[in-house]
Amino acid sequence: MSAALKIPHFGYCDEIDLTQLAQLREELKSMAESRGVRLSYMPFFIKAASLGLLHYPILNASLDDSCQNITYKASHNIGLAMDTQQGLIVPNVKNVQLLSIFDIAAELNRLQTLGATGQLGTSELTGGTFTISNIGSIGGTYAKPVILPPEVAIGALGKIQALPRFNAKGEVVKAHIMNVSWSADHRIIDGATMSRFSNLWKSYLENPASMLMDLK
């Protein structure tokens, strides 16, 4: 924690309309369950982050203690902050850039089972390059997440709420809204980069079919 407090944090928040993603997830849930996997929203959030990191690799980098060298990480080992009986732990899904959404869901199921039984090992808890905290699973809409060194960025997700919003025709409709709060290391990441990454991540989630264009 003392290392994290030395990092000048830059904060950025936005609102995400998950209405289309909620419909897609509902359609895919039974298919995933038939394969023995529970499909939450998190695999979509993680995959969208990985696709965004391909465009903004500085967010998947690390900075040395002397602030002289930046190391870009080829692997997207995306951590998920978990609240367990042992306290807060952050296991990570390895090589997300190579995984499908179903693969990510299966790995999250495995990590969550291990976390609930206190069986997460060193391999699951080390090597993270970017982190997402789903604080909304407990409550709240905004947060100020603390970066986990040597990582340089982290996102906190608020709870998903059904709220009134205007559609393209100016009509009031029911929408599934989530707020995201990002923190970035301001020594190497400027506000414009964080904003552009967040806008891209948001576009993938608000129009999930667009993710197909960048999937490998």
Side-chain angles (χ1 to χ4, degrees):
M1 181 59 73
S2 59
L5 295 177
K6 296 178 182 178
I7 299 173
H9 283 55
F10 169 82
Y12 181 85
C13 302
D14 202 359
E15 176 180 288
I16 318 295
D17 186 342
L18 298 177
T19 304
Q20 289 190 43
L21 181 60
Q23 295 171 351
L24 176 62
R25 174 178 169 262
E26 195 60 34
E27 293 173 6
L28 297 176
K29 277 174 62 177
S30 59
M31 184 185 302
E33 288 172 0
S34 69
R35 301 186 192 180
V37 172
R38 185 177 69 85
L39 181 64
S40 66
Y41 286 99
M42 189 55 65
F44 297 96
F45 299 154
I46 289 175
K47 188 62 182 182
S50 177
L51 293 175
L53 293 175
L54 292 173
H55 293 270
Y56 299 98
I58 188 66
L59 295 171
N60 198 57
S62 63
L63 183 65
D64 67 359
D65 293 337
S66 62
C67 301
Q68 298 296 315
N69 299 296
I70 300 172
T71 303
Y72 289 82
K73 308 294 180 66
S75 298
H76 298 172
N77 299 340
I78 299 182
L80 174 65
M82 290 184 180
D83 179 39
T84 71
Q85 293 182 350
Q86 291 76 39
L88 177 67
I89 55 176
V90 188
N92 60 82
V93 180
K94 300 288 195 296
N95 294 306
V96 173
Q97 78 279 6
L98 303 177
L99 303 180
S100 68
I101 288 173
F102 178 80
D103 293 334
I104 298 168
E107 178 63 1
L108 284 176
N109 284 191
R110 187 184 75 85
L111 293 174
Q112 288 163 344
T113 299
L114 292 176
T117 55
Q119 298 181 51
L120 286 167
T122 303
S123 62
E124 288 90 13
L125 296 171
T126 58
T129 62
F130 186 89
T131 296
I132 294 176
S133 173
N134 188 19
I135 193 64
S137 62
I138 300 174
T141 52
Y142 289 100
K144 189 177 180 181
V146 177
I147 297 167
L148 305 174
E151 297 175 24
V152 295
I154 185 173
L157 310 179
K159 63 183 177 182
I160 300 173
Q161 305 177 85
L163 297 171
R165 289 294 183 268
F166 290 102
N167 64 14
K169 298 179 181 179
E171 303 164 331
V172 177
V173 296
K174 176 183 175 182
H176 291 77
I177 301 297
M178 180 187 74
N179 299 111
V180 61
S181 304
W182 302 104
S183 288
D185 188 333
H186 212 5
R187 294 172 296 182
I188 62 170
I189 299 169
D190 58 34
T193 299
M194 190 74 253
S195 177
R196 292 187 180 105
F197 167 82
S198 183
N199 288 342
L200 180 58
W201 182 78
K202 174 179 179 176
S203 71
Y204 286 135
L205 298 177
E206 292 193 336
N207 180 18
S210 67
M211 282 196 276
L212 295 175
M213 298 294 289
D214 288 331
L215 290 176
K216 296 183 184 299

